[in-house]
């Protein structure tokens, strides 16, 4: 079932950031969301996550209308552009935070966090604070945190932005591993065509708050 957004509108003052946006992201698929700066990509992702309230329209996750649900009650994990880690918490605590508030038992949290830190190759850095990490390490911590509670939906807002080429390549490999392992659906905002061809099966193009193209990668890139 994945994600459906139906007739979404969002204004900031008299600026319309989302203009009657409707999208479908099927289960088990990865959709790349492309568009110029300021076109509404982050606003759309934030609306799906419940960090932004729509003026009208709805968000459905696995067929359920979650428009009125708070972020914690939506089955979403996200890695956002200006993601703020909890500065006073260690890597371990940051990754386990969502599990703790979901009242997981201590040993379950430990097992899950260990597993994730292994996956993103941060196992040796569990006791560090975010300020003691490089940009790439911080993005991997954010990814581990997003995956912790096994969300149905993963929202990735330019997770490779600001990383050097080698680190971005490593992150891309990691994402492919993570996204193909589970039957989850994901939306990835990117400016890099390499991400699209390496990771996505569908593409959405947004411009001025409106979806102007959508479809399978091969179709859209063959005749954009
Ligand atoms: P993108 O991620 O595609 O670069 P955004 O979704 O962040 O674009 O923003 C879309 C437009 O909405 C931009 O013009 C931006 O300035 C505006 N905008 C986003 N968030 C706010 C806000 N909280 N208040 C006012 N304007 C905003
Ligand atoms: Mg953005």
């Amino acid at each position: 079932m994945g994600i459906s957004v139906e007739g979404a509108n969002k204004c900031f003052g008299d600026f319309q950031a989302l203009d009657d946006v409707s999208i479908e992201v099927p289960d088990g698929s990865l959709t790349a969301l492309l568009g110029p700066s300021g076109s509404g990509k982050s606003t759309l992702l934030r609306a799906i996550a419940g960090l932004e309230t729509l003026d009208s329209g709805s968000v459905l996750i696995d067929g359920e209308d979650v428009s009125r649900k708070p972020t914690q009650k939506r089955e979403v994990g996200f890695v956002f552009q200006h993601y703020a880690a909890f500065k006073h918490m260690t890597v371990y605590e940051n990754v386990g935070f969502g599990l703790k508030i979901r009242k997981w038992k201590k040993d379950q949290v430990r097992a899950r966090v260990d597993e994730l830190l292994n996956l993103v190759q941060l196992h040796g850095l569990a006791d560090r604070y975010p300020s003691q990490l490089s940009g790439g390490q911080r993005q991997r911590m954010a990814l581990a945190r997003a995956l912790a509670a096994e969300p149905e939906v993963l929202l990735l807002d330019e997770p490779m932005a600001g990383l050097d080429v080698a680190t971005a390549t490593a992150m891309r490999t990691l994402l492919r591993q993570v996204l193909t392992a589970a039957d989850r659906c994901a939306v990835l905002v990117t400016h890099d065509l390499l991400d699209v061809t390496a990771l996505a099966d569908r593409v959405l193009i947004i411009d001025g708050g409106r979806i102007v193209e959508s479809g399978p990668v091969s179709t859209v890139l063959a005749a954009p």
Side-chain angles (χ1 to χ4, degrees), residues 2 46 61 87 90 94 112 198 202 205 218:
R46 291 171 55 81
I61 294 177
K87 292 183 176 60
T90 63
N94 265 287
R112 180 70 180 145
R202 298 181 63 80
I205 300 179
S218 49

Side-chain angles (χ1 to χ4, degrees), residues 42 81 157-158:
S42 296
Q81 222 173 348
D157 196 350
E158 303 191 34

Side-chain angles (χ1 to χ4, degrees), residues 12 15 17 35-44 52 81 157-158 206:
F12 295 110
F15 179 83
S37 182
S39 56
K41 304 181 297 296
S42 296
T43 304
L44 178 56
E52 210 73 80
Q81 222 173 348
D157 196 350
E158 303 191 34
I206 188 170

